[in-house]
């Protein structure tokens, strides 16, 4: 159940509710299409009633917030729930990127929450564990958190007025890898059940991925996500096992993919590989490639083609009967 204790509230603030008041990044980012605005108050849902599966992790109670508004040192993974003024029954779980070494909140997760709220969507922003922060679950830690988050959304759907057949996911970069894996592998058992919520299948009905990490296989070896999850010298079998396209099958939810042609981090072949896997398995997929924008454009940069993708995604969600 949601908690509103002072400790959790302070954790939520540190995790991003006031990130727009932070100083700018030393490495300035291009101006985003959605300007900063005061963050609404969110309900905070801890993912785990006690310590996460396997234990370990940072000793500090509050996450570290970078000058760029990214978080790390996440000892208490959680959901921040942003409810729209006029809920339409749809929900989206949002996962920011950061190579599984930090989570981009101010530039990715929170602007996405504001955008989706305006469409009547109830938004759940995920703060997930980072594998290199001492968690005994290692690479499974963020997957466990994401699966638990999806189950909690299903379990609390009545409380938030949600349609369980309209629960979607939006992931950026490494967060796209995480959401893609969860969407393609709902039967993957990554932790033992701890309560009734874990009896629910973590189904996602629709997936939006922005410049996602998809494949960890050769020759796409240069991402931080690959190094963080698999270490410096993984076997080909390990790389295949952690690649999203490996698990695409008939019955997967529809995918919306967006990327820039000049992305040097998750090169465009990532979304091409996923598109091909979807087409091969008759999974609906829509892919947009913009001529420029690089990596990490969030909701898009003003006066560039990337600024159009939220509108394209909105139309696509309407075509999928996810929103009206």
């Amino acid at each position: 159940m949601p908690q509103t204790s002072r400790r959790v509230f302070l954790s939520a603030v540190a995790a991003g509710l006031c990130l727009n008041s932070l100083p700018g990044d030393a490495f300035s980012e291009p101006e985003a299409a959605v300007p900063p605005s005061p963050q609404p108050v969110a309900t905070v849902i801890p993912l785990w009633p006690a310590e996460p599966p396997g234990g370990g992790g940072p000793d500090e109670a509050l996450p570290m917030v970078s000058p760029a508004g990214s978080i790390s040192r996440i000892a208490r993974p959680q959901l921040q729930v942003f409810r729209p003024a006029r809920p339409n029954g749809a929900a989206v779980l949002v996962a920011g990127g950061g190579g599984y070494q930090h989570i981009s909140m101010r530039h990715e997760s929170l602007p996405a929450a504001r955008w989706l709220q305006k469409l009547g969507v109830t938004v759940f922003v995920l703060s997930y564990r980072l594998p290199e922060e001492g968690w005994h679950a290692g690479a499974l830690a963020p997957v466990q958190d994401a699966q638990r988050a999806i189950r909690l959304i299903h379990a609390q759907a009545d409380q938030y007025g949600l349609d369980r057949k309209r629960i979607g996911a939006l992931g950026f970069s490494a967060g796209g890898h995480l959401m893609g894996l969860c969407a393609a592998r709902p039967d993957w058992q990554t932790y033992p059940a701890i309560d009734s919520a874990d009896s629910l299948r973590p189904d996602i009905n629709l997936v939006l991925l922005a410049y996602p990490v998809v494949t960890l296989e050769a020759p796409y070896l240069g991402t931080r996500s690959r190094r963080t999850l698999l270490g410096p010298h993984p076997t080909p079998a390990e790389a295949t096992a952690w690649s999203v396209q490996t698990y695409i099958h008939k019955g997967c939810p529809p995918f919306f993919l967006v990327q820039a042609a000049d992305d040097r981090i998750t090169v465009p072949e990532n979304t091409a590989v996923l598109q091909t896997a979807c087409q091969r398995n008759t999974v609906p997929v829509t892919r947009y490639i913009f001529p420029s924008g690089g990596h990490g454009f969030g909701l898009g940069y003003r006066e560039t083609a990337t600024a159009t993708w939220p509108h394209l995604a909105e139309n696509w969600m309407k075509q999928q009967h996810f929103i009206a």
Side-chain angles (χ1 to χ4, degrees), residues 295-307:
H295 187 78
F297 51 76
L299 290 193
Y301 299 142
R302 289 180 179 174
E303 299 178 0
T304 73
T306 61

Side-chain angles (χ1 to χ4, degrees), residues 14 28 31 74 91 126 180-182 185 270 295:
S28 60
E31 194 171 16
I74 299 159
L126 177 62
L181 275 181
C182 289
R185 300 192 69 184
N270 278 268
H295 187 78

Side-chain angles (χ1 to χ4, degrees), residues 53 73 85 115 119 155 160 167 186 230 243 262 265 297 320 322:
R73 206 171 62 195
W115 162 55
L119 301 181
Y160 289 104
I167 295 175
L230 303 182
S243 294
D262 61 351
I265 296 177
F297 51 76
Q320 300 298 323
F322 189 76

Side-chain angles (χ1 to χ4, degrees), residues 166 205-206 254 284 286 315-323:
R166 289 192 292 146
N205 309 112
L206 170 149
T286 298
N315 288 339
W316 179 79
M317 287 188 284
K318 290 177 179 177
Q319 292 167 6
Q320 300 298 323
H321 306 290
F322 189 76
I323 60 175

Side-chain angles (χ1 to χ4, degrees), residues 220-296:
Y220 312 111
L221 309 180
T223 64
R224 280 190 300 180
S225 295
R226 186 181 192 273
R227 294 190 295 272
T228 301
L229 292 174
L230 303 182
H233 304 294
T235 66
E238 289 171 330
T240 298
W242 281 89
S243 294
V244 176
Q245 79 277 6
T246 301
Y247 303 101
I248 299 298
H249 60 279
K250 187 175 181 178
C252 278
F255 282 82
F256 177 94
L257 311 174
V258 61
Q259 194 164 19
D262 61 351
D263 190 334
R264 297 182 180 180
I265 296 177
T266 57
V267 293
E269 284 77 6
N270 278 268
T271 49
V273 164
L274 184 51
Q275 181 183 39
T276 299
C278 288
Q279 292 170 339
R280 185 181 300 123
N281 290 278
T282 63
V283 174
V285 59
T286 298
R287 177 177 180 248
Y288 289 97
I289 298 294
F290 299 110
S292 62
H295 187 78

Side-chain angles (χ1 to χ4, degrees), residues 56-167:
D59 295 330
E60 295 84 355
L62 300 182
M64 177 181 292
V65 183
S66 78
S70 292
I71 61 171
S72 59
R73 206 171 62 195
I74 299 159
R76 296 190 177 98
Q78 63 186 22
L79 288 171
Q80 298 174 60
V81 189
F82 295 90
R83 306 182 75 171
R86 295 182 177 85
N88 60 19
V92 170
L93 175 64
V94 176
Y100 288 107
Q101 296 184 347
H102 60 88
I103 304 174
S104 176
M105 299 295 280
R106 183 172 66 193
H107 185 60
E108 292 176 345
S109 295
L110 296 176
R114 291 196 296 272
W115 162 55
L116 290 166
Q117 273 186 299
K118 292 177 181 178
L119 301 181
V121 176
T122 302
V123 186
F124 296 80
V125 172
L126 177 62
S127 299
Y128 53 90
R129 286 173 289 159
L130 303 172
E132 293 184 337
E133 295 192 333
W135 298 103
H136 298 157
L140 281 179
V143 182
Q144 293 170 343
D145 290 347
Q147 288 188 328
R148 175 71 175 174
I150 299 165
R151 289 184 169 115
L152 288 176
I153 294 170
H154 277 279
Q156 300 187 25
D158 292 341
Q159 175 180 337
Y160 289 104
L162 306 179
D163 179 352
R164 290 182 174 85
K165 295 182 179 179
R166 289 192 292 146
I167 295 175

